[in-house]
Amino acid sequence: NAGVMQNPRHLVRRRGQEARLRCSPMKGHSHVYWYRQLPEEGLKFMVYLQKENIIDESGMPKERFSAEFPKEGPSILRIQQVVRGDSAAYFCASSPVPGSAGELFFGEGSRLTVL
Amino acid sequence: GENVEQHPSTLSVQEGDSAVIKCTYSDSASNYFPWYKQELGKRPQLIIDIRSNVGEKKDQRIAVTLNKTAKHFSLHITETQPEDSAVYFCAALDTGRRALTFGSGTRLQVQP
């Protein structure tokens, strides 16, 4: 059973470009969470999704950020018009149970650098 | 929402000594408290967790204690080894978001 797969592992964008980060949860997991980690800091919750549903996006910036988890395919975190402050590691995690009531399985992260 | 405070931010111990990391949380309805270990450049991985119906849980050299009244929980690592060196994060379930809120992390350095 493959773990949580994230790609790309590293992404470099110039200010104003778009970044798309993908996450395939573990097989059988239908709950996906995105977290952002700034250098030397903790994991900040961004969004919780189930298939075709955004359950909670209270941690997402109101502008430029969006997330989806379609019926088919990976979950995608999209950042439009990136700025330097978006540079961070973005971790996706999945769970077989709802509401983070059990272990979260994290991917290796996508490290975004904005020049 | 949930707020989790974690101390200390850095901890250096000698190999064989014990290490203790402490966290407090704000959501009195929270009932799940995991601890994750993150090695440099790697993914966070669960090392132990505790639910609110127990006060202590142990797994070999690692133990976690929970005081629901005071809203704090702690990670205890005994007989530390160099491979325990990593960043450790506590977390608590935010019952409103239904997602984990993480502490700011403790960088543990075990000196050989």
Side-chain angles (χ1 to χ4, degrees), chain A residues 3-4 9 33 35 37 40-45 48 50 55-56 58-59 91 98-109 111, chain B residues 31-32 34 36 38-47 49 51 87 89 93-105 107:
Chain A
V4 177
R9 292 289 312 279
Y33 305 82
Y35 284 84
Q37 186 175 37
E40 304 297 316
E41 292 191 14
L43 296 152
K44 301 295 185 188
F45 169 79
Y48 167 26
Q50 293 179 22
I55 305 303
D56 191 302
S58 58
F91 285 93
S100 295
E103 180 176 359
L104 291 186
F105 295 83
F106 282 86
E108 293 283 2
R111 282 155 181 82
Chain B
N31 57 7
Y32 179 61
Y36 283 78
Q38 186 179 28
E39 296 177 2
L40 189 62
K42 301 287 187 181
R43 72 182 82 191
Q45 291 189 290
L46 180 74
I47 55 171
D49 58 12
R51 298 186 187 273
V87 179
F89 293 98
L93 179 61
D94 183 324
T95 54
R97 284 174 165 171
R98 294 183 290 164
L100 293 177
T101 297
F102 285 82
S104 53
R107 183 175 300 279

Side-chain angles (χ1 to χ4, degrees), chain B residues 44-107:
Chain B
Q45 291 189 290
L46 180 74
I47 55 171
I48 194 167
D49 58 12
I50 191 167
R51 298 186 187 273
S52 58
N53 57 345
V54 298
E56 184 173 357
K57 184 176 178 180
K58 192 172 181 179
D59 182 3
Q60 299 182 345
R61 296 187 296 109
I62 295 173
V64 57
T65 58
L66 171 65
N67 183 328
K68 283 223 73 178
T69 303
K71 289 192 280 188
H72 67 71
F73 56 114
S74 301
L75 178 71
H76 304 252
I77 306 174
T78 58
E79 300 171 28
T80 53
Q81 301 165 4
E83 51 265 39
D84 294 330
S85 296
V87 179
Y88 291 81
F89 293 98
C90 63
L93 179 61
D94 183 324
T95 54
R97 284 174 165 171
R98 294 183 290 164
L100 293 177
T101 297
F102 285 82
S104 53
T106 297
R107 183 175 300 279

